[in-house]
Amino acid sequence: MTHLLVCVDFSDVTQAVLAEARKLAGALRAKVTLLHVAPPQQNLLGLEPDLIGLEPVPQVPTPLIAPVRQDTHRGLESLAQQFDGAAMQCQAILVEGSVVQSIDEHARQMAVDMIIVGSHGHGALYHALVGSVTEGLLRQARQPVLVVRSQR
């Protein structure tokens, strides 16, 4: 195993995901790519279009999105620096799109050996209504998926 795709969403499970990724990458001397998938545009309600499933809602103008994306990219670069001290090669990528599809596409394009993702531990009702990125990846990804559970 030489390349790990580590998916981060800046939630409470992110640090646990990074800790597991550092352990695994260190033991395997693997390259790490941190990936954050942002929705194509935040709508005025702050919901992802994938999760709404109804009529399109008004979108926030692009000039208002740029500072948010810049802050997200800086945060992602900061997370990538956590791998520097461990003498590991790490790059950070911020993309926009559907989360499961974007992760799967990048995993295939970069020929990663494993995908590492966090699980928030939402209940069955949430999964029935909204679905789960982790479940989607487990069904769709060709690579092994390591799931790191939330500490909640």
Side-chain angles (χ1 to χ4, degrees):
M1 225 175 270
T2 60
H3 192 177
L4 306 174
L5 180 62
V6 181
C7 306
V8 296
D9 62 1
F10 299 101
S11 69
D12 61 340
V13 74
T14 296
Q15 286 304 320
V17 168
L18 294 175
E20 290 301 318
R22 281 192 304 271
K23 282 190 247 178
L24 192 56
L28 299 171
R29 300 193 189 292
K31 174 184 175 182
V32 174
T33 298
L34 295 182
L35 176 67
H36 176 73
V37 181
Q41 283 192 350
Q42 294 271 345
N43 62 47
L44 294 175
L45 300 175
L47 300 173
E48 292 185 32
D50 289 350
L51 302 181
I52 297 170
L54 302 172
E55 294 295 317
V57 295
Q59 299 292 307
V60 175
T62 302
L64 298 177
I65 292 295
V68 173
R69 294 294 186 252
Q70 290 170 347
D71 288 345
T72 302
H73 191 264
R74 279 192 289 274
L76 196 56
E77 289 290 335
S78 176
L79 295 178
Q81 290 175 0
Q82 294 182 20
F83 290 84
D84 288 344
M88 292 177 235
Q89 183 182 1
C90 182
Q91 67 175 343
I93 300 175
L94 171 62
V95 298
E96 294 182 357
S98 172
V99 178
V100 174
Q101 182 179 350
S102 295
I103 293 170
D104 186 49
E105 286 175 7
H106 278 78
R108 290 178 192 196
Q109 289 172 0
M110 294 185 290
V112 301
D113 299 297
M114 178 181 280
I115 300 169
I116 302 175
V117 65
S119 174
H120 298 279
H122 293 296
L125 179 60
Y126 179 89
H127 290 291
L129 295 173
V130 177
S132 163
V133 169
T134 303
E135 289 173 19
L137 284 174
L138 289 172
R139 281 192 300 270
Q140 191 168 330
R142 294 181 183 173
Q143 300 81 357
V145 178
L146 173 63
V147 179
V148 179
R149 291 200 38 102
S150 172
Q151 301 301 319
R152 290 191 288 147

